[in-house]
Amino acid sequence: MARTRHVIAVDVGGTETKAALVTGTPTRVHPVKQQRRPTRRTGDAVVEDVTALVNELRALSDHPIDAIGVVVPGIVDEATGTGVYSTNLGWQNYPFKTNLQTRTNLPTAFGHDVRAGGLAELRQGNARDLTNAVIMPIGTGIAAALVLDGRVCTAPGEIGHVDVGHGDPCDCGQTGCVEARASSAAIARRYTRRANRDVNGAADVARLLTTGDTDAAAVWREAVDALARGILLIAALLGPEAVVLGGGLALAGPLLTDPLGERLDELIVFQRRPELRLAALGDEAGCLGAALLAIDMLEER
């Protein structure tokens, strides 16, 4: 029987950093106490804030802390513990693992936020029965954790930055990216520009959609189309059993999955039509996955 571990998990998001005191084994973890704070936009600032969160949670723990797990967005090198590049947060080749271990004096597992969330969904979420799948959280950005032969691939899929042909500019420097139309941030931004009306994120646009707001309907339709075309590319390349949708946009439930499924049916010619599922772990997935990375690291020692 696997030993119960006590770890601190931190999920550095594009807008908010979530941290949790977590207990569990390699197959199931659960948060005991949680903290949140806004994400600051340099590597040094993130290390400073993560260290503060670790210290706060460490002081609240009834058990010695075995390790910490930290996950970040963007391109990462897990082997060296480096944040290679982040479009939304602006760091490049930043040595997160080394700096965090020095500051906290704790063994540190470091990884990609989407891969970690995918790991959590695979072990204790809505992907548990899947062998080949794509787990796609939709928030400030869009990426994907690839599950092949029952394992989460080390490299996340940057599905948010494939060109699906709409021609709009993306913050990454390309045009036509899925993320430029279908991320939660893009939906809110595009609605505000179109309707000349501020909204509090994509959830507000979803709410307006149910009232018959024509601007909300247009922005939503374009977001669904971009997302469907990105999933079509995944279907052609990987043929997954299912795409598991997470992040803030997935909270829209059938408002997202119903039109997305219909658009996929219109676009698919020969590709395997993946089942669309909603993620089970919500915004806890990244933290739970970070905890699993830390526990896996301890088990390998």
Side-chain angles (χ1 to χ4, degrees), residues 27-48:
T27 57
R28 179 162 290 274
V29 293
H30 67 275
V32 178
K33 296 181 175 68
Q34 297 174 311
Q35 303 276 19
R36 298 179 182 230
R37 64 176 59 190
T39 299
R40 294 193 291 161
R41 294 176 179 261
T42 69
D44 285 341
V46 167
V47 167
E48 183 177 323

Side-chain angles (χ1 to χ4, degrees), residues 121-138 147 227 231 240-247 249-254 256-258 260-261 264 272-282:
E121 285 289 340
L122 181 63
R123 291 197 189 169
Q124 63 183 75
N126 218 7
R128 278 173 295 176
D129 60 331
L130 298 173
T131 302
N132 297 287
V134 175
I135 301 165
M136 186 187 302
I138 306 170
V147 177
L227 194 56
I231 292 173
E241 301 162 74
V243 174
V244 182
L245 300 165
L249 196 62
L251 297 177
L256 174 64
T257 54
D258 287 355
L260 181 58
L264 274 175
R272 176 182 186 173
R273 162 64 153 84
E275 177 189 354
L276 297 179
R277 296 186 181 184
L278 295 173
L281 302 177

Side-chain angles (χ1 to χ4, degrees), residues 166-290:
H166 56 68
D168 292 351
C170 180
D171 289 342
C172 74
Q174 299 180 142
T175 59
C177 291
V178 174
E179 188 173 299
R181 283 201 171 180
S183 71
S184 296
I187 289 170
R189 182 175 62 248
R190 297 184 75 247
Y191 178 84
T192 294
R193 188 186 310 129
R194 183 185 180 100
N196 195 28
R197 173 182 176 183
D198 289 333
V199 288
N200 187 25
D204 272 5
V205 181
R207 180 181 56 77
L208 289 165
L209 183 67
T210 65
T211 69
D213 186 298
T214 56
D215 292 316
V219 169
W220 201 263
R221 183 172 57 251
E222 290 170 350
V224 164
D225 181 71
L227 194 56
R229 291 179 185 278
I231 292 173
L232 182 67
L233 177 62
I234 291 172
L237 292 174
L238 301 175
E241 301 162 74
V243 174
V244 182
L245 300 165
L249 196 62
L251 297 177
L255 282 177
L256 174 64
T257 54
D258 287 355
L260 181 58
E262 291 169 6
R263 187 62 180 134
L264 274 175
D265 289 337
E266 293 170 354
L267 292 173
I268 280 180
V269 178
F270 63 89
Q271 300 88 347
R272 176 182 186 173
R273 162 64 153 84
E275 177 189 354
L276 297 179
R277 296 186 181 184
L278 295 173
L281 302 177
D283 69 354
E284 289 189 343
C287 264
L288 296 179

Side-chain angles (χ1 to χ4, degrees), residues 42-45 47 81-84 91-97 99 110:
T42 69
D44 285 341
V47 167
T82 303
V84 177
W91 59 61
Q92 190 166 352
N93 296 320
Y94 188 86
F96 280 103
K97 182 172 181 174
N99 289 354
F110 175 78

